[in-house]
């Protein structure tokens, strides 16, 4: 029998041939990779160029993904389809016309904020959440038109709920966990998850230790029991995996993620002065070869094969298929 789909809704690894080979060893059919944090448009284009070189260098391991059908092609040729996304709207700068341009280049997800206030919405680290801005409303409409998915993983509560309600197409939280399981600032409260899923959106579960109960010591059983409970609460069809794996990244990168160019001070985000770098991964998920552990863990907490297949990749596939293309009539 053909193995179930495995799709990761978000990674920001320090990409290399080693990791591309691990993706294949782990049977990962498709992956959403971050190619921009604070980069402007031109800097983001350079990141597209970097990936184009990797596609040329490793054509037997990876291929560019634009549509869900590319995942079928990747499976048939034993490769991993790579889909691009931004963790900040900085690549569109202050120009709504760039929304269509970045989609044409291959972007398929864009967060309306990272942790701070943006031109579009409020980030989860701000004291006051003023919701979706005037420009944000227009950008959501344009993202809906071209098929660029609204991602609210790092956004504040009101902004996320408003985005879910304003968007005419389903939105995503690609990498987070429920706040009531692990009360990290970045994890999502019930009304936020409900707003996203009730509008047909997707919620991707993160294994980044700062988002886990007991952090790096989180057990596989605890993680999988949390997924099963979330499925009972919101419906299994809205759930996927978005590991937020930052494999092989130097600690200077986590500083770039948190600080960018917006402050001269060090912002430790979910870390601390005593532990400023990347936290160690839980022992059951250290790299892409460990997806089978999650699959087995979901079975062990009572999820059936159909439910496991949906969470591990089937739901993301459907979401990609329905949301990456231009809106009907556009």
């Amino acid at each position: 029998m053909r193995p179930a789909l495995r799709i990761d809704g978000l990674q920001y690894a320090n990409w290399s041939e080693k990791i591309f080979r691990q993706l294949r060893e782990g049977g990962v059919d498709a992956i959403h990779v971050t190619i921009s944090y604070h980069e402007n448009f031109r800097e983001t284009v350079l990141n597209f160029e970097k990936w184009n070189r990797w596609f040329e260098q490793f054509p037997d391991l990876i291929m560019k993904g634009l549509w869900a059908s590319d995942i079928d092609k990747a499976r048939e040729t034993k490769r991993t389809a790579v889909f691009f996304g931004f963790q900040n709207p900085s690549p569109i700068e202050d120009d709504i016309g760039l929304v269509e341009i970045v989609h044409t280049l291959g972007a398929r997800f864009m967060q309306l904020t990272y942790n701070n206030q943006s031109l579009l919405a409020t980030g989860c680290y701000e004291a006051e959440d003023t919701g979706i801005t005037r420009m944000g409303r227009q950008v959501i409409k344009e993202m809906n038109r071209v098929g660029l998915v609204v991602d609210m993983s790092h956004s504040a509560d009101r902004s996320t709920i408003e985005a879910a309600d304003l968007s005419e197409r389903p939105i995503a939280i690609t990498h987070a966990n429920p706040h009531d399981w692990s009360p990290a600032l970045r994890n999502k409260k019930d009304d936020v998850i409900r707003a996203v899923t009730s509008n047909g959106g997707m919620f991707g579960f993160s294994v980044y230790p700062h988002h886990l109960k007991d952090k790096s010591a989180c057990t596989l059983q605890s993680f999988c029991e949390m997924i099963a409970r979330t499925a009972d609460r919101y419906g299994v069809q809205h759930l996927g995996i978005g590991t937020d794996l930052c494999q092989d990244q130097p600690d200077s990168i986590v500083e770039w993620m948190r600080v960018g160019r917006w402050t001269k001070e060090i912002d430790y985000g979910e870390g601390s002065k005593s532990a400023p770098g990347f936290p160690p991964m839980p022992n059951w998920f250290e790299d892409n070869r460990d997806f089978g552990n999650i699959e087995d863990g979901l079975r062990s907490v009572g999820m059936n094969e159909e439910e496991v297949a949906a969470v591990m990749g089937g739901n993301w596939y459907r979401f990609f298929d329905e949301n990456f293309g231009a809106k009907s009539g556009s």
Side-chain angles (χ1 to χ4, degrees), residues 60-80:
D60 56 329
L61 301 175
I62 56 173
M63 60 173 278
K64 184 173 181 176
L66 293 174
W67 319 108
S69 57
D70 290 321
I71 302 172
D72 301 321
K73 191 178 188 179
R75 273 165 75 83
E76 287 162 12
T77 54
K78 296 181 170 55
R79 291 182 288 174
T80 300

Side-chain angles (χ1 to χ4, degrees), residues 210-286:
H210 286 313
H211 306 154
L212 298 174
K213 186 177 184 178
D214 302 320
K215 298 190 180 283
S216 302
C218 180
T219 65
L220 177 61
Q221 182 174 347
S222 176
F223 181 72
C224 291
E225 285 175 348
M226 175 271 293
I227 292 177
R229 283 195 304 272
T230 309
D232 289 341
R233 188 178 294 178
Y234 307 104
V236 73
Q237 70 272 25
H238 301 296
L239 309 179
I241 303 297
T243 62
D244 203 8
L245 182 66
C246 298
Q247 185 184 348
D248 294 347
Q249 292 284 21
D251 286 347
S252 59
I253 288 295
V254 78
E255 187 175 313
W256 162 247
M257 289 157 61
R258 295 165 177 165
V259 174
R261 289 179 283 238
W262 65 272
T263 177
K264 293 180 180 179
E265 299 173 11
I266 298 298
D267 184 285
Y268 295 107
E270 293 161 313
S272 64
K273 189 172 184 177
S274 60
F278 284 106
M281 294 297 290
N283 58 16
W284 45 268
F285 198 92
E286 294 179 344

Side-chain angles (χ1 to χ4, degrees), residues 66-69 83 103 107-108 141-149 169-170 318-330:
L66 293 174
W67 319 108
S69 57
F83 295 85
H103 183 271
R108 291 297 179 265
K141 192 186 298 185
E142 180 69 355
M143 291 173 73
N144 287 170
R145 185 183 74 83
V146 304
L148 185 61
V149 174
R169 301 178 81 161
R318 183 194 69 246
F319 186 83
F320 288 12
D321 190 40
E322 294 171 355
N323 293 293
F324 285 171
K327 198 172 162 190
S328 299
S330 292

Side-chain angles (χ1 to χ4, degrees), residues 41 45 48 86 91-92 95-108 142 145-146 148:
F41 177 74
V45 169
F48 278 112
F86 310 148
I92 68 164
D95 183 354
I96 195 170
L98 288 178
V99 171
E100 186 167 14
I101 299 298
V102 297
H103 183 271
T104 302
L105 290 174
R108 291 297 179 265
E142 180 69 355
R145 185 183 74 83
V146 304
L148 185 61

